[in-house]
Amino acid sequence: MLKGVNLYLIGMMGAGKTTIGRLLAQHLSYRFFDTDAVIEQAATQTITQIFAESGEAAFRQLETQVLAQLSPYTQLVIATGGGIVLKRENWSYLRHGVVVWLDVPIEQLHQRLQQDTSRPILQDQKANLKEKLQALSDQRQSLYAQADLRITVMPDESATQVAARVMDAIAQKCQEKSQINERLRLMNQETPYQIEP
């Protein structure tokens, strides 16, 4: 279906990118990578330690380096960090594949992340979690919207159901592209495009 083209999952932290990414990789017989896990392995530090010792800018640079290293390969499902869309340079790598935005409502993210202490961007104990998530979402919404596909995750959906909907959406998008290519081919046969001397 994807003919080896990579699949990139974007969206807010807690959207399920890693869980759903693993399911998609199994279904597609692709390899799975989580950019955060690759960063931790390469830096031999946790994301929290990188944020604390080097800051968010250093983390974002590592994120770009990991994305640059993964993007030339094929047959990968890559779960990205929630802020990967913030750097324009990252889009040059993301565009080499199919980008899927897992869009999860703030209320649902809030429920998932209430007890999560592992995410450095949420470490400010004084900040209201729901307000922080809303602010991050507002900042990133227009960037996430640049994805090839948007999958709105429903509160009662399992990861397996979401993965199935992603596969259906990819199949539909591939079919639409195939139909457009066929129409273009037929139009070109009827009136071939010619360059004037």
Side-chain angles (χ1 to χ4, degrees):
M1 173 182 348
L2 286 173
K3 299 179 182 174
V5 173
N6 289 343
L7 186 62
Y8 295 94
L9 301 178
I10 65 171
M12 290 285 289
M13 66 186 93
K17 299 180 298 284
T18 299
T19 303
I20 293 164
R22 284 192 175 106
L23 293 169
L24 292 168
Q26 286 176 347
H27 187 80
L28 292 165
S29 298
Y30 275 22
R31 292 185 345 173
F32 173 76
F33 288 93
D34 180 309
T35 57
D36 285 353
V38 175
I39 290 167
E40 287 183 339
Q41 187 176 14
T44 63
Q45 290 183 299
T46 66
I47 302 299
T48 303
Q49 289 171 325
I50 295 168
F51 265 74
E53 294 174 18
S54 305
E56 185 176 355
F59 169 76
R60 296 292 174 212
Q61 187 56 41
L62 288 171
E63 196 172 48
T64 297
Q65 290 171 2
V66 165
L67 194 58
Q69 290 172 359
L70 289 174
S71 67
Y73 293 95
T74 59
Q75 297 183 332
L76 303 180
V77 173
I78 301 168
T80 65
I84 206 157
V85 297
L86 297 171
K87 283 183 75 175
R88 182 174 295 189
E89 180 183 355
N90 292 342
W91 281 98
S92 66
Y93 302 117
L94 294 170
R95 288 289 173 218
H96 287 281
V98 175
V99 181
V100 177
W101 171 21
L102 297 179
D103 186 14
V104 178
I106 295 297
E107 185 59 43
Q108 197 172 343
L109 291 174
H110 181 254
Q111 289 171 0
R112 292 179 183 183
L113 297 170
Q114 272 182 323
Q115 304 304 317
D116 191 333
T117 58
S118 68
R119 301 182 192 260
I121 211 150
L122 299 179
Q123 293 299 312
D124 183 1
Q125 300 299 323
K126 296 176 185 141
N128 176 301
L129 176 60
K130 194 181 277 188
E131 289 174 7
K132 178 71 172 174
L133 289 169
Q134 188 63 58
L136 288 170
S137 177
D138 291 346
Q139 176 193 28
R140 299 170 179 178
Q141 191 92 18
S142 64
L143 298 168
Y144 290 146
Q146 295 177 36
D148 300 305
L149 296 170
R150 177 181 182 177
I151 305 295
T152 302
V153 178
M154 300 299 150
D156 58 343
E157 268 186 307
S158 70
T160 303
Q161 290 170 321
V162 175
R165 283 204 305 122
V166 171
M167 291 304 300
D168 290 345
I170 291 170
Q172 183 177 350
K173 194 76 156 175
C174 288
Q175 183 179 7
E176 288 170 7
K177 185 176 179 185
S178 177
Q179 290 170 349
I180 290 169
N181 287 341
E182 180 60 17
R183 283 195 297 258
L184 289 172
R185 188 185 68 74
L186 292 172
M187 285 172 43
N188 197 34
Q189 282 180 344
E190 293 169 10
T191 53
Y193 180 78
Q194 296 179 358
I195 298 175
E196 294 187 18

